[in-house]
Structures are given as structure tokens and as C-alpha cells.
Amino acid sequence: MYMYDEIDQSLVDERVIQFRDQVNRRMTGELSEDEFKPLRLMNGVYLQLHAYMLRVAIPYGTLSSEQMRKLAWIAKKYDRNYGHFTTRQNLQFNWPKLEDLPDILAELASVQMHALQTSGNCIRNVTADQFAGVAADEVVDPRIYAEIIRQWSTLHPEFTYLPRKFKIAVTGSEIDRAAVRFHDIGLIAKRNGAGELGFEVIIGGGLGRTPFVGPTIRDFLPERHLLSYLEAALRVYNQLGRRDNMYKARIKIQVHETGAETFTEMVEAEWAQIRDTAVDLAAGEKQRIADFFRPPRYRASADAEAQLRLQLRDDRNFARWVETNVAPHKVTGYRIANISLKPIGGIPGDASSEQMDAVAALADRFSFSEIRVTHEQNLVLPHVRADDLYALWQTLKSYDLDTPNLGEISDMIACPGMDYCALANARSIPVAQQISERFADLDRQHNIGELKLKISGCINACGHHHAGHIGILGVDRKGEEYYQITLGGSGAEDASVGDIVGPAFPYDKVVDAVETLVDTYLDIRTDGERFLDTYRRVGKTPFKEALYGTD
Amino acid sequence: MALIKNREITEDHWVRIDDESAVPAEGGAIVSIARWRKDRAVLAGRNAPIGVELESGDGPEVVADDIVRLDLIAVPFATFRDGRGYSTARLLRERYGFTGELRAVGNVLRDQLPLMERCGFDSFEYAGRTDAAKALKAFRDISAVYQTAADRRASAAALRNHPSKAFSNGTCG
Ligand code: SF4
């Protein structure tokens, strides 16, 4: 993991002092709310429906056990004993008091954490593949570059008042676990014919009210030019992005309206001017950062696999959990263990202080003190020995963290919706809970197989509904909550935006509608087909007929 | 309104001349970009400092041919949330090589001062409610910088690779 040096530490410490002063100036009226708002947003502080909300950055989803314990402690001391892991690998506290916020930020700074740029019209906290460093399919650990981008984007003097927010995601693998095509900039690390490392650069993807799968604007950017290229792209956006209409201010609209080709030319022309300046990091600094991401000292035992096989044979429930929640690791004898934060009927992404503490302890015991947060709102212990999985699972059970549903229908993404969010048209969480309960039977879920269901409470699409195999969007119909259903979206390497299947459903009919869709799929799927594959093969019609009849 | 220049509150020796008024023969005068375009020959031939105020959204290219003729360029912030001026300033300094006074005007508030300075502004028509003398502290809020920018401050990466320029918390520029 990256560790702060005195420079990094001074920045987060001074930010706390600065924010304390800003809060004071707001209290005395020296700052108007209008002037204070972007300042607090840049420190992750939102004003929600009922209270302030603090969004803590978990850069590229990597956490130490010590940091997790601090989050648990903050939840206990300053909030209501829980936190909410978000689709951008952040953690939200829903009930802090404004006057406590500087103290909370100081607590975070004490464990090398912050809430910088988790909101506001700036470059947001950068996200990455949650399996970074342990996935067998990656060409490089994307966190090295995510950390480089984190530093470069932190308090960037030119790009702190952009037309709109700006999100960057990085993956080191062809298998896209970071939804890179739905980001303002997505980066896919790859090697060229000569074996050199670089990035495919994708620009102008996004969800929200006008979803776009981002186009590739450069097939191969040599990695040493990463920052100058980003700086060029951001500069073009900062100068030309729309400022008269916030709904048209994201870069995706600019790319779409200018045309990807013309936009690319502008970025390339700007880049040509700065590509050999000091914007890019010197090799020494890059190496310094890369060294923090060296793998831990694995100590696989010779009979770890054999022991796991025995345990799998003897305990059917354990075997079920391993089958759904455990992924292969690049080192023989190790596994990646996913911890579902989607218990049946629970609130997707919520974790209590006790659960956070438990995961921290398990990370110390089994995973070199390291934890990951996924954009699908789950946690990961990235380095678990095969013969430790059983003991891990047993402890997870006692904290209700053992739900074997990863990638299945109850492992859904849901935004906070009307329960917290001032912009919502409809509730998301209760819909998620009811769907989860409807499909509580794990055998049934397992039979359905991979199904990504995503729910947003309004068109802003924080729940990524466009990218759901089944997407649900809350809409307002004369003051009543309705839900529009989309089919066939994907946030993975085969990214696509879902199609609206037909008229929206009222609150009390939406769960039935989901069940009808699933049953229709089960009727018509062929062997080995996921819901998404079936939909792509047969199209909308059978699903539409099942929902609305044939006329 | 106070004028901050090079981190100090100073008297403003420049006068703004609106498009209808005559430009005095002496003393620094700031005219609109429209006026400059219209009367460039006369204004440039004047034997006194001349400055131009850009319009919101004007990029540096609008004065590209005049860089050596101008003593001051004023870049407007219609609202502090409009960040185009940051790019304009950097380009004027870093690409067009403007060495005169680069002045931030409009909705120029305390908390944006250090970012503006990093982008190359050296003077500010400060419009915040915080007392100007107190607002000067803003320049020292954060010691470390992660980027190279128009102010040429040594970035964190540069300091790390040149231990001789030891980072001293809270005192560097
Ligand atoms: S999608 Fe809408 S309702 Fe849900 S969190 Fe985002 S803004 Fe709020």
C-alpha cells in the first residue's frame, strides 16, 4: 500500500486546519452558503435531505486494517454506528454534525486518509479494479497509476473549478471490473507489440441523464506520458466545456457534440505542446510510488489446496460460498475472498462499526492487513491462503457477512434514493430490499446465475441503472413513485447502455415485474447463457410481452 | 476593493478606461479587449503602460499577437465557480510567455487566491468579505504542491528527487 511521506501528510493536515477555518468563516457569515458550498464539497461534505453527509475517499478502493478500524471508530463516535460503501469506492457517513466535521477530517488524516475531491466540480477520487495486484489477468497493478493520478489531481490549481465533476478509472486488465467505459476518462493498461507498457485512453463515457459508452481516443499512450495527456484532455475540457447549462456540462456531452474525432484532434494538439515538459513524472518518482505496491511475502503451504478440497467436500454451505464469492488469485495456494455487503433484505453497501472492525481483524489475520472496496459496494480480502478460507468464512458467518450471492440478483447496486437524497424521485433502498427478499432462496438465485441489477432513485444514475442487466430508475408520476425498467446494460468490458422495456411500474408492482423478467429468462435461456446473453440474443420482445401482454 | 499584488496589499496605479472615454496620455490604463482591437495602433503607440481586460471565456489566443505590447492583462472571473481563467492564465504565462502583470478581476475571493497564483496571476482585485489583510493568509494555507504550474514551485515529486531542496513544512512559498 502507498504510505504518506511528510509532504503528503502535511497536505492532509493543513487541509484540516484550512477547513476548520472555512467552517468558522461560514458560521460567522464571512462566507455565504453559495461561497462555502464548493469548498465543503471539495472536502466531501454534502447537505442531504436530513443532515450533512461526509464522503470519505478510499483511493482506488484500497484500505488498510488500521484505516478500516478508524472508519468504524468514526461511525461509532460521530455517526449512527454505520457507514455506507458507495459505487465509487468511497465511504459515506450519513449523520455527522457540521461542527464535528473538522475533527472527523483530523481523525482521517491521522491514518493517512482524507475526503478530498470526493465531490465538487473537480477531478474526483480516482477508482481502479478492486482485484488490482492480485488478478491473474492484469498486465500491471493499476493502483500505481491511480496513486500517481491521485497526487497530480489533488488541489490541481487549473482544474479545481471545472464545468462539472470529472471521474477517472484505471484498470490493468482486459476484464473490466472498474467500468472504465462509463467514466469521463477510462484507462486500460496494456502492452504494445514491442512489449512496452501504455494505456488505451477512453474519453466521454458516463451514466446520468444522457448515458454514453465512452469512445477510445487513443489506442496506446506510452505510460510515461500519462499525466501530460490527462492534463491536455482536462485543459481542452476546462476551456470548452459548457458552463451555461449544468446538464450539458459533462465532458461526454462535449465529446458527443464535437465528435470524438475532432475532440481527439484537439487533445492531441494540446498534448503536442506539453508532452515533453515537466508535467510527467520523472522515472525515479514513479518507481518510488510503484515500490509501495510490491506484492506481500506470500507463504503458500504445499497442502493448502488439498486441505481446501477436503473442506469443500465436507461442508456444502462453505462450498457454496467459495463457489460464488471466492475468485482465483495470481499466486497458487491463494484466493481472493469477496465479502458481500448485500445480506438478504439488507441495505446494499451498509456496514456497521462491528462489521468494519471484524473485517479489519480478519484482514490482519488472513490478508496481510489489506482490504479492498469494490464499485459494486462489497469488500474484498485480496490475499487469503486457500487453507484459511474455512476459518475466514466461519467468522464472517457470525457477523452476517457470509452471504454467498456475489454477482447474483441480490448482489445489487442501489443508490441512497429518497431515504437520504434530496434529488430523489423515488425510494431505492426499500425496492432493493424487497427484491432481495423475493429472491431470498439461494438455490433459486444460484440457478438464475449472474444477473446485475442496479437501481437509481433519479436520472442522475448514482445506482448505475443504465449499466444493469436489469436497471431500475425511479421516476416521478404526478407525485407518485414509479419505476422504469431497462434491460441489457453492462458495465463490464462488453459495456452497453440498457434499453427501456416499456411503461414504468408503480412502487407496489416493480418487484413482480422483476420476477416476471427473471422467469421469462429462465424459460428461454439456452445452456450456459447469462440473463444478459439471452437478452442480447432474443431482444426485448419476449420480455415486453411477458410484462405487458401481446397487444 | 483592495488590490493584492505579489501577496501584499498595494495601491492600484492603473485606471480603467471605459470604451467611450478618452485614454489619458500618462499613467497605466486598462481598456477592454474590444477597445484594444479598435484602437490598437493608437494605444500601442502611447508612451505609458497599457493593459487589456479580456472577456469571460476569452482564451489567451485573443491577445497572442500583443503579448510583448501589453503591460497588463486582466482575466475576469464572472463567478468564482467559472474556472476558465485558470487555463487562460497558465497558457499566457507558460505558452505565450507573458511577463507583465496578470490580474484576476471579478468575483475574486479568499479561498481561490492560492490556486490563481499557481496559475500565474500576480495581482488580484480582491472582492471577498474576509478582510483583505487576513485573506493574505490564504497563500500559506497549504505548503505542498503536487503539480508543476506557472508559479514554478517545486512539486512534491521534484522535492523528493532533490533532497537538497528539503521540504520544510509550513514555511515554503
Ligand atoms: S441517483 Fe438520484 S436519488 Fe439516487 S443518489 Fe443519485 S441523485 Fe440521489
Side-chain angles (χ1 to χ4, degrees), chain B residues 31-83:
Chain B
V31 298
S32 72
I33 181 77
R35 175 80 175 264
W36 171 252
R37 284 201 185 104
K38 197 159 77 71
D39 298 340
R40 181 192 271 115
V42 181
L43 292 169
R46 217 170 131 259
N47 209 0
I50 186 77
V52 160
E53 178 167 340
L54 307 185
E55 280 174 26
S56 253
D58 278 347
E61 58 287 342
V62 302
V63 286
D65 298 332
D66 304 315
I67 293 294
V68 292
R69 260 170 277 191
L70 295 172
D71 302 286
L72 177 149
I73 300 174
V75 178
F77 290 82
T79 140
F80 73 95
R81 288 181 303 274
D82 184 340

Side-chain angles (χ1 to χ4, degrees), chain A residues 5 8 14 18 22 25 30 32 34-35 151-152 154 157-158 161 231 238 243 270 285 288, chain B residues 80-84 86-87 90-91 95 110-112 129-130 141-143 146-147 160 167 169:
Chain A
D5 66 3
D8 302 307
E14 289 172 359
Q18 186 188 46
Q22 288 165 347
R25 281 187 280 133
E30 242 177 80
S32 68
D34 187 46
E35 291 164 2
Q151 296 191 19
W152 162 78
T154 296
E158 187 178 348
Y161 294 93
E231 190 137 315
N238 189 43
R243 293 180 188 262
E270 178 58 33
E285 174 63 1
R288 187 191 73 90
Chain B
F80 73 95
R81 288 181 303 274
D82 184 340
R84 286 175 291 189
Y86 294 98
S87 290
R90 279 196 72 181
L91 291 170
R95 185 158 309 158
R110 178 205 185 278
D111 293 274
Q112 289 75 41
R129 258 188 304 275
T130 303
D141 275 357
I142 307 289
S143 312
Y146 281 121
Q147 314 78 10
R160 284 166 180 149
F167 174 74
N169 191 357

Side-chain angles (χ1 to χ4, degrees), chain A residues 236-248:
Chain A
V236 169
Y237 171 57
N238 189 43
Q239 291 178 293
L240 298 180
R242 295 208 25 195
R243 293 180 188 262
D244 55 335
N245 179 343
M246 72 173 281
Y247 301 118
K248 299 199 163 160

Side-chain angles (χ1 to χ4, degrees), chain B residues 159-170:
Chain B
L159 291 173
R160 284 166 180 149
N161 283 286
H162 297 280
S164 58
K165 296 187 201 163
F167 174 74
S168 69
N169 191 357

